Amino acid sequence: MMVIKPFIEPFWKDIRALLMAGKKDGVFQFDSLDVALNYVQASMSYPYHLNILETNKNTVELDSEFIDALVQLIMKGVC
């Protein structure tokens, strides 16, 4: 974990800031920032975990239709 933390931490800080700004502007509606961040994080990482578990591959290729559906799901979850 300590090896990848410097690479992913800035990204998650950006997502946290985006969620806070969206809530302040009335775009997002959630009670807990931590829960919202965990929801987004889990939703974004799920396809990678699923691919590794099902195919034993270390890479995953997502088509644009899947990505669009995932973004819509995340937005519905925080709006």
Side-chain angles (χ1 to χ4, degrees):
M1 177 61 176
M2 297 308 288
V3 174
I4 63 170
K5 186 176 179 179
F7 299 101
I8 61 173
E9 190 172 38
F11 175 72
W12 292 116
K13 284 183 178 180
D14 290 344
I15 296 293
R16 179 183 277 285
L18 182 110
L19 287 169
M20 289 183 345
K23 183 171 183 174
K24 179 183 173 208
D25 293 343
V27 176
F28 301 142
Q29 300 174 17
F30 51 83
D31 294 326
S32 167
L33 176 60
D34 289 333
V35 171
L37 182 61
N38 285 332
Y39 171 76
V40 171
Q41 197 172 13
S43 297
M44 292 175 68
S45 65
Y46 172 75
Y48 297 96
H49 295 291
L50 182 64
N51 187 63
I52 289 168
L53 291 172
E54 287 186 351
T55 64
N56 291 325
K57 293 181 181 177
N58 291 328
T59 61
V60 62
E61 293 181 24
L62 305 176
D63 63 30
S64 61
E65 184 177 315
F66 181 87
I67 293 169
D68 290 343
L70 183 59
V71 169
Q72 287 178 15
L73 175 69
I74 291 170
M75 293 301 291
K76 287 178 183 177
V78 295
C79 287

